[in-house]
Amino acid sequence: MSACSNTTPCPCTYTSCSRHGRCCSCVAYHRRSGEVPGCFFSREEEKTYDRSIENLYRDYTRS
Ligand code: SF4
């Protein structure tokens, strides 16, 4: 496994996740599932734990 020297605080509220704060692992994990990491979403939508592209689109187009 390659080094992951992230220094940015992780905003994901699922704090018991083993990938919390490890962006490289987080991105790879969600990418494998056709999803995006929680930090792409608004605060409200992040808390739903729905990391789908469809939900990201809804989140960004919500008025
Ligand atoms: S976005 Fe997903 S993989 Fe990343 S820390 Fe949160 S729950 Fe874990």
Side-chain angles (χ1 to χ4, degrees), residues 10-23 25-30 35-41 46 49 51:
C10 178
C12 180
T13 57
Y14 194 76
T15 53
S16 61
C17 175
S18 63
R19 300 171 192 88
H20 195 265
R22 297 174 58 218
C23 298
S25 298
C26 175
V27 169
Y29 172 76
H30 283 293
E35 299 174 343
V36 290
C39 57
F40 280 62
F41 295 88
E46 187 281 322
Y49 302 142
R51 310 297 195 222

